[in-house]
Amino acid sequence: MGNLLRFRFEILGTLRVFCDERQLELPGRRASVVLGSLLLTPGQVVLTEQLIQAMYAEDPPTTARNQVQRGVSELRRLGLDIRNESTGYVLRVDRDCVDAYVFDDLCARARTAVRSGNPGEGARAYRAALALWRGPVLSELDSPVLMASAGRWEERRIIALEERIDAELELGLYQALAPELAGLVRDYPLCEKFQEQYIRVLHHMGRTAAALKVYESFRAYLAETFGSDPCIELRTLRQTLLAPAPATATTPGPRQLPPATPGLTGRGDEVGQVRRALDQNRIALITGPGGIGKTTVAVEVAHQIKDEYPNGQLFIDLGGASDWPAEPGDVLARFLRELGLSDPEIPDELDRRSACFRSIVAERPVLLVLDNAASSAQVRPLLPGTPGSAVIVTSRPPLAELDGASRTPLAPLTREDSRRLLTEAIGAAQLADDPATVDRLLKLMGGSPLALRILAARLTAKPHWSLSHLLSRIKENPLDELRSDGLHMRAILDVTYRSLPPEARRLFRLIGSLRLSDVCDWTATALADATEASAGDLLETLADGYLLRAVEPARFQCHDIILAYARERADAEESQDQQRAAVERVMGTLLTQTDAAYASIHGRQPPYASAARRPIGSHVPAQLGREWLAANLCTINQAIRCCAEYGLAEHCWELAISLLPLFESGGYNDEWLGGHEVALEAVHRSGDQRGQAMLWYSLGHRATLRGAHEEAMTLLKRAQALFERIEDLHGQGLIALDLGLIAYRGEELRRARDAYARAMKLFRRTADAVHQARALHGLVTVLEALGNTLASDVRAI
């Protein structure tokens, strides 16, 4: 060609041009449409009128011919060899430089290989050809002419795909083809070839009933949409599948499925996901915590597909939630008996029993439901070795080592699905009278189907109980109340707890001691008195056992019912001294964090630090100050109550006071009062005078900011007497600040001046520059009101 540059063109997708393997940027739509038209027939003349039509369709402008010439010129400037002919243009390029023609050549090679009796080589060539496609031909060019040509190329792609699958059917790759064909019949519902291939695959996998269902669905679709029947090939295939097999003296296979749960609520998506997994992988694993509904979903799916497995439907509880899970050898012996073998015919060794089971189900595919698996090692010997059978496994642990399984984890039910389940169980009338209590009950159940069914059973058994009465009983003692006729939340949690390693069990107990629903990595580090890394591993272990729920990295939540169980285990297995020491470590770490927040606001550590602090390690809050306090308000208030319960009076009042910078910003009056009342009771019991003084001051400060001056004066005077008794100068300065503000508001300006002046002296002595500045600001405001000379008055202080 005389062109030293090596060009390569791709049209099987967006238009791309490469020069010496470097992708070129095309000038614009005009040049792209011209190039796309020339590439559809490289080496052949494309008429100028055809290029105009590709560029402008049926409405070309008067400059259309000139626009085509400009597009050609732009392409020539890139180095493309475009020759003028009398009626149009021709692109000079080798066939192997255009991906579409490489595709054609590979398909031709594949067809030759298949005709020569080599379907393996043909399938490989087809796959190489189809791998060239990146999307619809010239997909970004909005030209009707090019789109019509692209449609013809799409037909070639579909034909190549059909022929590749035919080649792989000759190779017997039924298992691998099943998921692909399931998707193709969904994406191309009118393609009879894909329907035929899918039906053949299902039949060869031993799923003739499913194959006939696919045919019937397609036939009904054609009849309803077009009023026509499937093609003769499909009808003949159906007759072949319906032909009776040679008579054999067989007995019906076992039918062991438990009854399905009527009106399965809130699991439609998961049921569909499991069915799709069975179509693709033949092994579907359903995971989740106890009581979440794994068995219910597994049995529902099994009932939906049982007719496809006339040779047998086997069900067994593998006992993974018990202390003695089933031995695989015992399970296989049972299966073999149920499939027709006598005891003398059953091998003694596990490997031989597994091989015997695989041999039987290879000829007679079955539906196998392995409920409540303990481990991957328990399940592997029970799995069929060939396509055809379907296996549904349920397990609490994730069974990460179970290769080839599609996983469907079950999450708690949504609030609406929880409400629907409860309504279906007890009727809408009983729930309509008290919707607020229903909402609280649903929140407490946490989306657990088991807990909701127990709740419904309790209401059914006690029709004279109101919803609020049941709610109060559950809140008082959830684990005793959530039991009914063999259903027991405590028993479910016992199983999970016993399966944990000792260190994880201990951390779980101490979480119960703490009574905090939010558990962070620093909390676990302090509770377990461990390194950050080991504490993080223990948290992940608890999350894997569904006793905690990860909400973000290094932060977990413990549901109220599980937290109540953790507290039970702590009271049963940990001494009060052990629990108190663990809680004290957490509170020391939390105070170190609140100290850092205080310092970020006031520029210094808080003046009170009697309670023991604990090193914070790497757990420094990313954002300190009021924002951090606001984000952790709920946790700190829960911690205040926990400290009070364990008699940690100093930790209790210091945590309450740590929130003052947040409370002063407004909007937290109820939280201010609630936490302080709990802390006051704790310091009264312990006789901590400084704690009492600080809390009375804080509540007086709250009254001051609210304008309740009489209440404020009572509380502040009470606090002042204690501060003076224990010679706490900083506390006395805080009192003076508020007394100055109250006097100023009451227009007692000289009393306000004296109070602010005293506050300034006290804060100077305690080196508190922030509060000293507040006192100075108050003093200046009062002096301006008095009309005094500011300089002389300030110098006098």
Side-chain angles (χ1 to χ4, degrees):
M1 293 175 54
N3 191 340
L4 298 179
L5 297 177
R6 174 69 175 176
F7 285 93
R8 182 166 56 83
F9 304 90
E10 295 181 357
I11 66 172
L12 301 180
T14 56
L15 176 61
R16 300 199 303 191
V17 181
F18 296 85
C19 178
D20 294 334
E21 298 307 316
R22 179 177 59 87
Q23 186 173 353
L24 302 181
E25 183 175 351
L26 294 172
R29 180 182 182 275
R30 176 175 55 204
S32 297
V33 171
V34 170
L35 180 58
S37 302
L38 295 173
L39 284 171
L40 288 172
T41 53
Q44 299 180 31
V45 176
V46 178
L47 301 178
T48 303
E49 287 72 17
Q50 290 177 306
L51 294 174
I52 292 172
Q53 190 176 16
M55 193 176 295
Y56 297 109
E58 301 301 328
D59 189 25
T62 55
T63 60
R65 188 172 294 273
N66 180 257
Q67 293 297 320
V68 168
Q69 293 170 350
R70 294 180 64 181
V72 170
S73 298
E74 289 169 343
L75 294 171
R76 285 171 173 163
R77 282 196 290 272
L78 294 177
L80 272 62
D81 186 2
I82 301 176
R83 305 290 176 88
N84 286 67
E85 298 292 337
S86 59
T87 56
Y89 300 90
V90 60
L91 173 65
R92 298 290 298 276
V93 62
D94 292 335
R95 185 179 177 87
D96 63 353
C97 292
V98 183
D99 61 350
Y101 294 93
V102 174
F103 166 81
D104 262 357
D105 293 343
L106 284 169
C107 288
R109 186 193 309 168
R111 292 182 185 108
T112 300
V114 171
R115 285 195 296 269
S116 302
N118 194 340
E121 181 182 336
R124 286 190 292 274
Y126 277 125
R127 284 193 173 274
L130 291 164
L132 296 172
W133 286 74
R134 296 171 291 108
V137 170
L138 301 173
S139 54
E140 85 285 15
L141 299 180
D142 57 341
S143 165
V145 171
L146 295 183
M147 289 173 65
S149 297
R152 291 191 291 274
W153 278 100
E154 177 64 15
E155 291 172 6
R156 296 187 192 183
R157 186 186 72 84
I158 295 297
I159 291 170
L161 184 55
E162 293 171 348
E163 292 174 348
R164 190 219 86 207
I165 292 172
D166 275 340
E168 292 180 348
L169 282 172
E170 285 190 52
L171 297 170
L173 302 178
Y174 310 121
Q175 181 81 9
L177 288 170
E180 180 182 11
L181 282 165
L184 288 171
V185 297
R186 182 178 60 249
D187 296 339
Y188 299 92
L190 292 176
C191 180
E192 293 183 305
K193 184 64 176 178
F194 289 149
Q195 298 284 344
E196 175 198 340
Q197 291 170 329
Y198 189 36
I199 290 169
R200 290 187 185 281
V201 161
L202 291 174
H203 171 63
H204 282 290
M205 291 173 65
R207 301 180 62 201
T208 303
L212 289 169
K213 283 186 178 180
V214 171
Y215 174 87
E216 184 56 33
S217 296
F218 182 57
R219 185 205 62 76
Y221 175 71
L222 290 181
E224 181 179 347
T225 308
F226 304 104
S228 61
D229 289 325
C231 64
I232 185 62
E233 289 82 5
L234 272 173
R235 298 201 302 275
T236 303
L237 176 58
R238 173 180 176 271
Q239 291 303 318
T240 301
L241 300 187
L242 287 172
T248 57
T250 60
T251 58
R255 304 288 188 268
Q256 298 180 344
L257 298 181
T261 301
L264 182 67
T265 303
R267 294 301 189 198
D269 289 345
E270 290 87 347
V271 166
Q273 186 175 340
V274 173
R275 291 204 58 171
R276 288 190 294 275
L278 290 174
D279 283 338
Q280 295 171 6
N281 290 4
R282 315 305 305 146
I283 303 176
L285 173 61
I286 306 170
T287 61
I292 202 67
K294 301 182 294 295
T295 303
T296 302
V297 171
V299 171
E300 173 67 23
V301 173
H303 274 282
Q304 290 183 10
I305 65 173
K306 63 184 180 182
D307 292 342
E308 300 174 23
Y309 299 93
N311 297 316
Q313 301 127 34
L314 301 169
F315 179 96
I316 189 167
D317 183 348
L318 294 175
S322 70
D323 292 331
W324 298 279
E327 292 292 334
D330 296 339
V331 175
L332 285 166
R334 172 180 155 179
F335 284 169
L336 291 171
R337 288 188 196 98
E338 288 156 352
L339 291 171
L341 269 65
S342 63
D343 282 349
E345 294 175 303
I346 297 175
D348 292 331
E349 298 85 2
L350 172 62
D351 289 348
R352 291 183 62 208
R353 286 182 181 181
S354 183
C356 184
F357 175 70
R358 291 196 297 270
S359 296
I360 292 174
V361 299
E363 296 297 326
R364 300 183 321 186
V366 297
L367 170 60
L368 189 61
V369 181
L370 304 175
D371 192 35
N372 201 8
S375 66
S376 300
Q378 184 192 36
V379 171
R380 280 197 205 95
L382 311 178
L383 298 178
T386 53
S389 295
V391 183
I392 306 174
V393 184
T394 76
S395 173
R396 294 188 187 190
L399 304 191
E401 297 176 359
L402 189 62
D403 297 331
S406 294
R407 287 165 171 78
T408 301
L410 297 190
L413 294 177
T414 65
R415 185 67 62 87
E416 285 309 308
D417 284 335
S418 297
R419 189 187 308 276
R420 192 176 298 113
L421 189 154
L422 199 57
T423 301
E424 290 171 355
I426 64 175
Q430 195 167 354
L431 304 180
D433 294 338
D434 194 353
T437 301
V438 172
D439 284 339
R440 287 194 288 272
L441 279 168
L442 293 178
K443 181 180 180 183
L444 196 57
M445 296 305 100
S448 164
L450 176 64
L452 289 161
R453 294 190 188 283
I454 294 174
L455 181 67
R458 296 285 280 168
L459 288 168
T460 302
K462 303 288 184 181
H464 55 285
W465 281 5
S466 67
L467 292 171
S468 57
H469 175 69
L470 179 58
L471 175 62
S472 64
R473 290 178 66 102
I474 293 176
K475 290 178 73 174
E476 180 69 23
N477 200 332
L479 295 165
D480 282 344
E481 292 299 324
L482 288 176
R483 60 183 303 171
S484 175
D485 193 24
L487 301 176
H488 200 332
M489 285 300 297
R490 184 184 280 111
I492 294 288
L493 293 170
D494 276 342
V495 171
T496 303
Y497 175 72
R498 288 197 305 269
S499 71
L500 296 172
E503 287 303 310
R505 286 202 300 268
R506 178 172 177 266
L507 176 59
F508 179 65
R509 294 193 297 269
L510 294 177
I511 289 171
S513 301
L514 192 60
R515 281 77 158 152
L516 295 185
S517 54
D518 264 28
V519 184
C520 301
D521 51 357
W522 67 263
T523 316
T525 301
L527 278 176
D529 198 15
T531 64
E532 295 176 19
S534 61
D537 290 342
L538 292 175
L539 286 174
E540 293 294 343
T541 299
L542 293 178
D544 289 342
Y546 304 102
L547 294 173
L548 297 178
R549 180 174 65 90
V551 290
E552 57 186 51
R555 180 168 168 259
F556 300 80
Q557 283 187 342
C558 187
H559 187 265
D560 289 347
I561 295 174
I562 297 176
L563 193 60
Y565 177 79
R567 184 172 181 176
E568 269 192 8
R569 299 318 316 153
D571 290 342
E573 301 180 50
E574 301 282 335
S575 70
Q576 280 298 306
D577 287 344
Q578 288 172 321
Q579 294 188 60
R580 190 179 192 276
V583 170
E584 188 170 359
R585 290 193 296 269
V586 173
M587 299 310 164
T589 306
L590 183 56
L591 279 172
T592 304
Q593 292 178 314
T594 59
D595 287 351
Y598 184 98
S600 75
I601 297 169
H602 293 297
R604 53 164 286 178
Q605 292 294 310
Y608 46 85
S610 304
R613 265 61 173 170
R614 192 173 189 273
I616 199 169
S618 65
H619 305 295
V620 180
Q623 287 186 325
L624 293 169
R626 291 183 181 85
E627 295 82 3
W628 184 86
L629 291 172
N632 290 273
L633 174 59
C634 181
T635 297
I636 295 172
N637 269 334
Q638 287 180 317
I640 291 167
R641 288 169 171 76
C642 185
C643 289
E645 186 173 342
Y646 283 98
L648 299 171
E650 288 183 336
H651 294 81
C652 188
W653 74 257
E654 288 189 31
L655 284 170
I657 293 300
S658 73
L659 291 166
L660 262 181
L662 174 66
F663 292 157
E664 288 174 329
S665 65
Y668 297 95
N669 274 316
D670 291 341
E671 292 86 349
W672 194 339
L673 181 61
H676 278 49
E677 286 179 339
V678 172
L680 264 175
E681 186 176 344
V683 296
H684 277 308
R685 284 197 304 266
S686 69
D688 186 330
Q689 294 189 35
R690 191 179 193 202
Q692 292 178 51
M694 283 298 297
L695 291 165
W696 278 332
Y697 153 71
S698 181
L699 290 173
H701 186 50
R702 172 178 176 271
T704 301
L705 296 180
R706 291 170 56 240
H709 293 160
E710 185 176 342
E711 176 189 351
M713 289 297 295
T714 300
L715 292 166
L716 292 172
K717 289 297 184 183
R718 191 182 298 171
Q720 184 176 25
L722 271 182
F723 280 137
E724 289 173 354
R725 184 185 305 169
I726 62 176
E727 298 181 350
D728 185 330
L729 299 181
H730 190 271
Q732 294 175 47
L734 294 173
I735 298 293
L737 265 181
D738 272 24
L739 292 176
L741 178 58
I742 292 170
Y744 175 73
R745 287 175 175 172
E747 298 184 358
E748 298 179 75
L749 298 181
R750 294 186 182 282
R751 181 176 293 178
R753 177 196 60 191
D754 295 343
Y756 281 129
R758 183 168 186 267
M760 276 195 63
K761 291 177 181 178
L762 290 167
F763 289 132
R764 186 182 301 126
R765 291 176 64 184
T766 58
D768 188 340
V770 172
H771 282 96
Q772 188 178 345
R774 289 185 181 180
L776 177 60
H777 179 269
L779 179 61
V780 169
T781 302
V782 171
L783 292 178
E784 285 180 336
L786 286 169
N788 292 356
T789 302
L790 296 181
S792 61
D793 279 279
V794 172
R795 276 198 303 272
I797 297 172

